[in-house]
Amino acid sequence: IRAAKSTDEQYGAMMEKMHSLASTCTLAPAREVLLCLSGVGFRCAFTFCAKMCDFSRLCSGRRVTS
């Protein structure tokens, strides 16, 4: 039971860090757009934006999906 509580606490701390980073990130507008899509949650949008880093290198939406 202690391990489960510890894991929950670590997860909560990680999510708090993600939310604080997301609010100051330059990709916040892109994250907000992604959150409007059905089935896309905060973690998914945050991770996608973190992996992409610079959307300006993509000339179209089709490049994102390829």
Side-chain angles (χ1 to χ4, degrees), residues 26-44:
T26 59
L27 295 173
R31 182 183 42 84
E32 291 300 319
V33 170
L34 289 170
L35 287 171
C36 293
L37 298 173
S38 177
V40 176
F42 176 79
R43 285 185 303 168
C44 180

Side-chain angles (χ1 to χ4, degrees), residues 12-58:
M14 179 191 68
M15 289 302 289
E16 284 180 28
K17 279 187 178 181
M18 285 176 66
H19 279 279
S20 68
L21 285 171
S23 64
T24 60
C25 180
T26 59
L27 295 173
R31 182 183 42 84
E32 291 300 319
V33 170
L34 289 170
L35 287 171
C36 293
L37 298 173
S38 177
V40 176
F42 176 79
R43 285 185 303 168
C44 180
F46 181 87
T47 303
F48 184 77
C49 288
K51 290 284 188 182
M52 291 302 298
C53 293
D54 181 16
F55 286 97
S56 66
R57 63 190 171 95
L58 303 170

